[in-house]
Amino acid sequence: MESKLKVFITGASSGIGSALAEEYAKQGAIIGLAARRRDKLQKIKSNCETLGAEAVVTYNLDVTNEEESMNVAKDFTHLKKEGIDVVIANAGVAFSDGLSSGNPKQINQTLAINILGVTNTIVPFVPEMKKQKSGSLVIISSIASFTAPPYFGGYAASKVAVRRLGDTWRRSLKKYKIDVTTICPGYIKSEMTDVNEFKMPFLMDTDLAAQKMIKAIESRKKTYILPWQWRPIIALSRLFGQKLSKI
Ligand SMILES: NC(=O)c1ccc[n+]([C@@H]2O[C@H](COP(=O)([O-])OP(=O)(O)OC[C@H]3O[C@@H](n4cnc5c(N)ncnc54)[C@H](OP(=O)(O)O)[C@@H]3O)[C@@H](O)[C@H]2O)c1
């Protein structure tokens, strides 16, 4: 009998995280859903069960909590079948820097959730993957890691940081047959983008984005930018050393 994938996703209560969970549910996966909003997690759990997940467990988790993140990883590793196949560090926020407020709280929150949230999610699963000599680690960065969007320096910096973590972890973990895929989405429909009042170029539907992301993870892509239209734009801007300040 074919073994079911075991997938852990943070930020699974909405947007990209919930869409990824529902796509994996269609494959009959065993899924761990983590986020802070319990009611939303319960709804996604029930959707995943309806769509065919083998088992779904929810974790009420703030990804900035190191201790709790380790406990959750341990619990999920032992759930149903021993081990872990895919870990997706997706939780994130896009607060503006609040520079004029004189208070660094908001930018610090962005940096903490978006950077420490990734290390707290990924690192606790590494020993098990090393033992198995298999696994996929996935980091959700952003096209903002290639740009310099005004007022969102903390967000852009956090996404640069996690992309670089992915680049180094890929090299560190290659010998254990652990893949690291960094995904850099452009604009994808979600609670995060629903608040934007400007026209978002190449805005992509959430389910389609999740399907494409899963394909990229399955084909062990190193860095995956979507929608595709951003790839030439980013490549050209890097070639000419320009900062994309309007995106
Ligand atoms: N949508 C886009 O266009 C876009 C583009 C580039 C990158 N991204 C990245 O994609 C990821 C998902 O974003 P999204 O667009 O799907 O936005 P979203 O719908 O707002 O989802 C964000 C998720 O992160 C969770 N989260 C936030 N802070 C958390 C914390 N401290 N602990 C645990 N979970 C936390 C939220 O759940 P709770 O509030 O329930 O905790 C929610 O499930 C983010 O990393 C974002 O930066 C999105």
Side-chain angles (χ1 to χ4, degrees):
M1 204 180 82
E2 202 187 315
S3 171
K4 297 291 184 189
L5 264 192
K6 201 165 162 188
V7 184
F8 179 76
I9 306 169
T10 65
S13 59
S14 63
I16 294 170
S18 61
L20 285 167
E22 289 171 7
E23 285 304 320
Y24 277 114
K26 292 179 195 163
Q27 298 184 14
I30 299 163
I31 308 172
L33 304 171
R36 295 165 303 178
R37 290 170 296 176
R38 288 175 200 272
D39 52 333
K40 295 235 173 202
L41 280 181
Q42 283 314 313
K43 172 93 177 37
I44 306 304
K45 174 179 155 83
S46 139
N47 292 351
C48 288
E49 286 165 347
T50 309
L51 289 165
E54 165 97 1
V56 187
V57 61
T58 62
Y59 296 103
N60 184 227
L61 174 72
D62 183 326
V63 291
T64 58
N65 189 322
E66 207 175 279
E67 199 68 32
E68 272 306 296
S69 298
M70 289 194 287
N71 291 338
V72 162
K74 195 181 282 174
D75 185 85
F76 188 63
T77 301
H78 298 309
L79 184 93
K80 203 85 176 150
K81 69 165 192 179
E82 212 51 33
I84 177 74
D85 297 306
V86 183
V87 176
I88 307 180
N90 165 72
V93 291
F95 302 140
S96 63
D97 296 338
L99 288 180
S100 307
S101 70
N103 186 336
K105 193 180 168 86
Q106 198 159 291
I107 188 168
N108 287 348
Q109 264 184 344
T110 308
L111 292 168
I113 295 171
N114 292 5
I115 303 177
L116 304 187
V118 170
T119 54
N120 287 340
T121 301
I122 301 274
V123 176
F125 283 103
V126 170
E128 184 65 26
M129 286 192 174
K130 269 180 77 173
K131 206 164 76 188
Q132 300 169 170
K133 285 208 167 6
S134 69
S136 296
L137 298 172
V138 183
I139 295 170
I140 308 295
S141 174
S142 168
I143 58 159
S145 70
F146 300 104
T147 70
Y151 311 110
F152 288 87
Y155 183 73
S158 72
K159 295 303 184 180
V160 173
V162 298
R163 185 159 56 78
R164 185 49 59 94
L165 284 173
D167 290 341
T168 61
W169 289 344
R170 187 175 305 114
R171 299 179 72 187
S172 318
L173 299 172
K174 191 172 178 219
K175 57 178 175 286
Y176 305 109
K177 300 193 181 334
I178 301 171
D179 301 313
V180 180
T181 297
T182 304
I183 296 176
C184 299
Y187 295 108
I188 312 294
K189 190 153 173 38
S190 74
E191 288 181 12
M192 190 178 276
T193 49
D194 283 348
V195 298
N196 291 344
E197 284 167 358
F198 56 90
K199 186 172 171 351
M200 291 174 274
F202 322 122
L203 179 67
M204 187 179 245
D205 166 75
T206 333
D207 294 336
L208 178 62
Q211 287 158 14
K212 287 183 176 292
M213 287 178 190
I214 290 174
K215 270 202 187 136
I217 298 164
E218 286 170 352
S219 54
R220 301 161 196 265
K221 286 223 183 312
K222 293 176 180 164
T223 305
Y224 180 65
I225 298 170
L226 81 161
W228 68 266
Q229 289 91 334
W230 286 109
R231 288 176 216 147
I233 296 173
I234 288 167
L236 281 172
S237 78
R238 292 178 102 187
L239 192 66
F240 294 109
Q242 282 175 342
K243 294 277 179 240
L244 302 171
S245 59
K246 290 265 165 62
I247 56 177

